């Protein structure tokens, strides 16, 4: 007879394996991880089985991400015509499975990277990339529009660095910020840094989240952009978050470099909002 405390829920097993609940459900369904079902149909895992899988080193999410990227790219490129909100549905389903938007954002980051790789390999046309990224941007926009907000929430200004039109990373950041109780001012692409600095000086925002994609490879230009904004953010105690795979100076003279959404989630958990 297995003692109750040796049975783990999907979330507990996922935490022990350092992966998302989706991967654990997939391995259970594929018979790669033994699983019991409660009368209510909930999955339960013996601690011993989970630890054995952890020791085996087979608990990697790559195989899960590959198939998941396929599914997302398929949904973004060939959305079902009978389901106008197909992509939105996938987003909300992923949120329900993952339990937090930053986990969904982590996975979508991999999907966007996969889109870039396929474009580079010539498997996707520029038109495909435009259609896919716009469908995702709009679906995220609709999800965000339905999230609660209020004038008393602290405001975060979202911008890309000059010359960078890649805003999807910022869209994912917006999901995370809203879930953490921030109000978002979306300035997006091509906002002169001088105007951002002037706005910060009015104390209207508590945070600036800046994105530089792989397209922003000029480290000097980014260092200059940062110098134009960093001091004023420091003087006004405004959080300055630097994200994306662009060539940010390492370490940055101002602001906090955020490498992934897990880091963003822990930063927001500790961030003073007022
Ligand atoms: C979608 C896309 C586009 C779309 C963007 C649509 C949109 N609304 O964003 C469009 C079609 C507009 C586009 C245009 C171009 N693109 Co493009 N694009 C991409 C693609 C496929 C995904 C971009 C993306 O969202 N990536 C998300 C992830 C992967 O980016 P990330 O920087 O790592 O950021 C992650 C995190 O750090 C976080 N994050 C991002 N920002 C921030 C900010 C904060 C504060 C935080 C906390 C987190 C965070 O979120 C991201 C997700 O995990 C990338 C491929 C790639 N690997 O990035 C190519 C890519 C960036 N593009 C590229 C290129 C070349 C171009 C064009 C020049 C093509 C052209 N000839 O027109 C133009 C340039 C336009 C410009 N001036 O910026 C190249 C850049 C390579 C290079 N060295 O320059 C890439 C890498 C494709 C490739 N494989 O070659 N692109």
């Amino acid at each position: 007879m297995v003692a109750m405390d040796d049975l783990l829920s999907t979330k507990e097993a996922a935490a022990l394996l350092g992966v998302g609940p989706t991967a654990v459900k997939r391995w259970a369904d594929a018979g790669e991880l033994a699983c019991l079902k409660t009368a209510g149909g909930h999955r339960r895992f013996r601690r011993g089985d989970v630890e054995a899988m952890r020791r085996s080193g087979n608990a990697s999410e790559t195989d899960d991400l590959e198939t998941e990227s396929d599914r997302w790219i398929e949904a973004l490129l060939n959305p079902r015509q009978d389901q106008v909100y197909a992509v939105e549905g996938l987003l909300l389903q992923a949120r329900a499975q993952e339990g937090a938007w930053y986990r969904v954002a982590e996975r979508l980051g991999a999907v966007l990277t996969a889109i870039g790789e396929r474009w580079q390999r010539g498997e996707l046309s520029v038109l495909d990339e435009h259609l896919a990224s716009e469908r995702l941007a709009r679906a995220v926009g609709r999800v965000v529009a339905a999230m609660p907000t209020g004038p008393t929430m602290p405001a975060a200004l979202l911008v890309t660095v000059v010359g960078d039109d890649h805003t999807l990373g910022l869209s994912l950041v917006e999901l995370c910020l809203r879930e953490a109780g921030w109000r978002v001012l979306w300035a997006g692409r091509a906002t002169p840094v001088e105007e951002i600095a002037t706005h910060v000086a009015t104390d209207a925002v508590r945070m600036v989240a800046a994105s530089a994609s792989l397209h922003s490879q000029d480290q000097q230009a980014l260092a200059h952009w940062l110098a134009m904004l960093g001091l004023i953010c420091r003087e006004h105690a405004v959080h300055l978050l630097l994200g994306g795979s662009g060539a940010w100076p390492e370490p940055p003279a101002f602001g906090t470099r955020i490498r992934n959404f897990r880091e963003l989630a822990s930063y927001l958990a500790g961030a003073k909002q007022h």
Side-chain angles (χ1 to χ4, degrees):
M1 176 58 197
V2 183
M4 280 312 288
D5 61 355
D6 276 348
L7 285 181
L8 305 176
S9 69
T10 304
K11 259 205 175 121
E12 289 164 338
L16 200 58
L17 292 167
V19 298
T22 323
V24 171
K25 288 176 188 156
R26 180 179 308 290
W27 293 326
D29 298 349
E32 287 164 29
L33 178 59
C35 150
L36 309 165
K37 283 274 176 82
T38 65
H42 296 292
R43 294 180 182 83
R44 289 290 178 268
F45 302 89
R46 291 186 197 83
R47 180 181 297 279
D49 294 337
V50 177
E51 277 167 353
M53 182 173 219
R54 192 172 56 152
R55 282 195 301 277
S56 73
N58 290 341
S60 79
E61 280 195 290
T62 43
D63 57 349
D64 182 56
L65 277 176
E66 258 135 38
T67 44
E68 184 180 18
S69 290
D70 299 342
R71 270 204 316 282
W72 272 99
I73 294 174
E74 183 55 28
L76 291 171
L77 287 176
N78 306 304
R80 291 184 40 182
Q81 298 313 319
D82 60 341
Q83 285 188 349
V84 178
Y85 298 122
V87 179
E88 206 169 324
L90 276 180
L91 282 171
L92 295 172
Q93 189 191 7
R95 171 61 184 77
Q97 282 170 346
E98 294 293 351
W101 278 115
Y102 82 86
R103 282 182 180 282
V104 180
E106 282 290 333
R107 305 188 83 86
L108 285 171
V111 173
L112 291 165
T113 303
I115 290 176
E117 285 156 2
R118 291 203 192 169
W119 175 73
Q120 216 171 0
R121 290 198 299 264
E123 292 164 18
L124 287 184
S125 66
V126 173
L127 178 62
D128 288 335
E129 191 189 61
H130 285 210
L131 290 172
S133 42
E134 201 49 40
R135 281 194 184 110
L136 181 59
R138 290 176 182 219
V140 171
R142 286 192 292 266
V143 167
V144 161
M147 291 168 97
T149 187
T152 57
M153 288 177 167
L157 182 63
L158 270 54
V159 298
T160 64
V161 296
V162 72
D164 201 322
D165 296 347
H166 297 86
T167 57
L168 280 165
L170 275 186
S171 298
L172 300 177
V173 169
E174 179 166 12
L175 281 170
C176 302
L177 283 171
R178 297 289 297 276
E179 186 156 64
W182 288 76
R183 193 160 47 89
V184 165
L185 304 180
W186 180 277
R189 47 177 290 285
T191 312
V193 68
E194 300 78 9
E195 292 196 20
I196 304 170
T198 309
H199 195 64
V200 166
T202 66
D203 289 320
V205 298
R206 303 300 325 130
M207 176 187 287
V208 174
S211 180
S213 76
L214 272 176
H215 181 59
S216 298
Q217 292 302 320
D218 182 341
Q219 198 166 66
Q220 271 202 321
L222 286 183
H224 176 69
W225 189 92
L226 202 43
M228 297 284 291
L229 184 59
L231 204 54
I232 202 99
C233 284
R234 189 175 287 167
E235 280 166 7
H236 289 260
V238 165
H239 300 276
L240 177 54
L241 304 191
L242 313 174
S245 300
W248 291 109
E250 298 285 2
F254 300 96
T256 308
R257 186 82 176 83
I258 306 272
R259 293 178 197 293
N260 55 51
F261 290 99
R262 220 177 283 264
E263 274 183 24
L264 176 63
S266 48
Y267 183 95
L268 293 177
K272 233 162 60 46
Q273 296 194 348
H274 297 289

